[in-house]
Amino acid sequence: MTLEKKESVLISTTVVEVGISLPRLTTVVIVGAERLGLSTLHQLRGRVSRTGLRGTVFYILIKIDLSV
């Protein structure tokens, strides 16, 4: 699936890591990144700037429990 229109914002679950081409995507914000595994975070990061544009990924942690 390729999105060709000029969308400004895409809100998605982690299903965006598979099968969707977003060639102009330059910024990803992952809210609640502590709930995702490293491989999922890596896959999502890989979606940024696939056409050579500069890309940025922001990981936002909601809660970190250091009492473990």
Side-chain angles (χ1 to χ4, degrees), residues 26-57:
T26 58
T27 304
V28 169
V29 178
I30 301 173
V31 178
E34 76 282 355
R35 295 179 292 161
L36 303 174
L38 287 178
S39 61
T40 300
L41 292 172
H42 180 74
Q43 288 290 327
L44 292 169
R45 183 188 60 91
R47 289 286 165 206
V48 178
S49 192
R50 295 183 131 196
T51 59
L53 299 172
R54 183 174 180 187
T56 306
V57 179

Side-chain angles (χ1 to χ4, degrees), residues 3-43:
L3 300 177
E4 307 246 351
K5 295 180 183 177
K6 296 186 182 208
E7 291 85 5
S8 297
V9 176
L10 171 68
I11 298 174
S12 176
T13 64
T14 55
V15 78
V16 76
E17 76 178 79
V18 179
I20 296 178
S21 177
L22 302 166
R24 293 183 334 273
L25 180 68
T26 58
T27 304
V28 169
V29 178
I30 301 173
V31 178
E34 76 282 355
R35 295 179 292 161
L36 303 174
L38 287 178
S39 61
T40 300
L41 292 172
H42 180 74
Q43 288 290 327

